[in-house]
Amino acid sequence: MILSQTTSCASKFGEEKSIEIIANAGFDAIDYNMESLKDDKGILFSDNYKDYVLNLLEVAKKNNVCFNQGHAVGYIPHEDHDTVLKLLIEKNVRAIEIAGLLGIRTLVIHPVAFGQYVGREEYLFHKNMEYFKGLLPYAENYGVKLACENMWCGDKRKGVTIGSVCGNPFEHAKYIDEINSEFLVACLDVGHCSLAGREAQDCIRVLGDRLQALHIHDNDYLDDMHTLPGLSEMNWDEITKALADINYKGDFTFETDHFFDSLNTIEETETGMKLAALIGRKLISKIEN
């Protein structure tokens, strides 16, 4: 099973250095975070974006890693929902193209939520069907699978976190089944399950073979901590057992960027990344054995 890590963990040192740090720590592959596409003035929206991306590909090759997964633009705040869809499709068409250039097989996409979730489930379902159907022709053209991620949100009145779009694994499955395309699959962010009041292992079993991508990190069921597995409250014996039970065939991708926030030097980050890789290998061995 391929072990990968997101570039956002070490992006403060630049994306080239981020790739180098992840590779040298023992990861097999890179999850390329493309949230910078939100900025119309960023390098990924410049005239030279192809040269920039192909240079990153060369950096990865020199460090004996590949790009296996990516993260598209999540949400753009705007009062008009149709405008949000238009902008997201525009930016994520570019994300799909970049994924194709890098050889990324799976691009993680947040479903749109537009604020309040409870009581608006059907409206959001239909808006997301419109959204994903707008992206699918590009995904098919570039040979990139879109992976719909499970989401959470805050309930300000109660001061708690609750499930949002696809936070319920049965709704998550419904999204994938409704589109019914090999180019739309499920990504399970295991930490988001906890924040939605669910156990990741239960969500894994509901999704079954729809599940083809992961975001692996740990939390305390209260905050979106994005820390290393084993440093908080989630049950990794049960999570790995569930992945084995469904015969999970996808990659094992860490999204542990907040763990690295307080590591200020390259040396500290390199040490932390080696620890992350060791933990990842241990969890993969649990699944495979």
Side-chain angles (χ1 to χ4, degrees):
M1 187 178 294
I2 288 175
L3 177 65
S4 58
Q5 175 69 280
T6 175
T7 51
S8 58
C9 284
S11 58
K12 57 189 167 187
F13 305 115
E15 292 190 328
E16 290 188 28
K17 189 63 179 178
S18 176
I19 293 167
E20 181 184 322
I21 291 171
I22 293 169
N24 290 341
F27 285 87
D28 304 308
I30 306 293
D31 172 37
Y32 186 42
N33 189 304
M34 293 184 240
E35 281 287 342
S36 64
L37 279 169
K38 281 183 179 178
D39 182 6
D40 292 342
K41 298 179 182 179
I43 186 65
L44 296 182
F45 255 120
S46 73
D47 292 338
N48 299 321
Y49 75 96
K50 286 186 179 180
D51 291 338
Y52 178 79
V53 168
L54 291 174
N55 177 63
L56 292 181
L57 183 59
E58 287 303 311
V59 172
K61 288 178 179 178
K62 288 178 182 177
N63 284 279
N64 298 311
V65 289
C66 64
F67 287 93
N68 71 315
Q69 192 165 296
H71 200 305
V73 177
Y75 182 67
I76 297 172
H78 197 284
E79 292 181 359
D80 182 72
H81 297 173
D82 289 333
T83 299
V84 172
L85 286 186
K86 179 182 177 183
L87 291 172
L88 279 173
I89 288 174
E90 174 190 342
K91 293 177 183 299
N92 285 331
V93 164
R94 174 63 58 89
I96 292 167
E97 180 189 2
I98 290 169
L101 290 170
L102 290 173
I104 288 171
R105 300 189 303 272
T106 309
L107 181 65
V108 177
I109 302 274
H110 288 183
V112 292
F114 303 127
Q116 182 66 32
Y117 168 71
V118 177
R120 301 168 68 240
E121 294 90 342
E122 281 303 310
Y123 171 76
L124 292 170
F125 175 78
H126 291 297
K127 280 296 180 185
N128 275 293
M129 292 301 101
E130 179 183 346
Y131 179 37
F132 289 125
K133 287 175 182 177
L135 290 173
L136 274 175
Y138 302 94
E140 293 170 2
N141 182 52
Y142 287 101
V144 176
K145 291 184 179 182
L146 307 180
C148 174
E149 182 176 353
N150 56 312
M151 305 306 294
W152 64 277
C153 62
D155 186 328
K156 294 181 180 179
R157 296 166 300 176
K158 297 179 180 179
V160 297
T161 59
I162 60 174
S164 183
V165 180
C166 294
N168 180 329
F170 294 98
E171 180 182 71
H172 201 174
K174 176 183 175 183
Y175 272 50
I176 307 306
D177 293 346
E178 179 70 18
I179 293 292
N180 191 27
S181 167
E182 65 177 302
F183 288 96
L184 185 71
V185 300
C187 169
L188 192 71
D189 185 304
V190 296
H192 289 182
C193 299
S194 309
L195 298 174
R198 299 179 181 274
E199 295 294 344
Q201 55 267 28
D202 297 335
C203 298
I204 289 166
R205 292 190 171 94
V206 170
L207 290 172
D209 60 8
R210 303 175 186 87
L211 180 59
Q212 297 187 29
L214 294 168
H215 279 168
I216 296 293
H217 54 96
D218 207 341
N219 66 37
D220 59 1
Y221 290 74
L222 298 172
D223 295 311
D224 199 19
M225 296 166 66
H226 283 267
T227 193
L228 297 182
L231 297 189
S232 200
E233 302 298 324
M234 295 171 61
N235 189 327
W236 292 96
D237 285 339
E238 290 299 324
I239 292 169
T240 52
K241 184 177 185 301
L243 289 168
D245 287 347
I246 69 163
N247 196 24
Y248 175 69
K249 297 295 187 183
D251 299 338
F252 203 73
T253 300
F254 273 33
E255 195 182 47
T256 55
D257 33 345
H258 291 342
F259 172 79
F260 293 90
D261 287 348
S262 62
L263 305 182
N264 297 316
T265 68
I266 289 176
E267 291 75 16
E268 290 172 346
T269 302
E270 288 173 337
T271 300
M273 200 67 73
K274 289 176 182 177
L275 174 61
L278 286 171
I279 292 171
R281 294 293 178 200
K282 180 179 178 181
L283 293 174
I284 286 174
S285 71
K286 285 178 173 287
I287 298 166
E288 294 181 339
N289 295 325

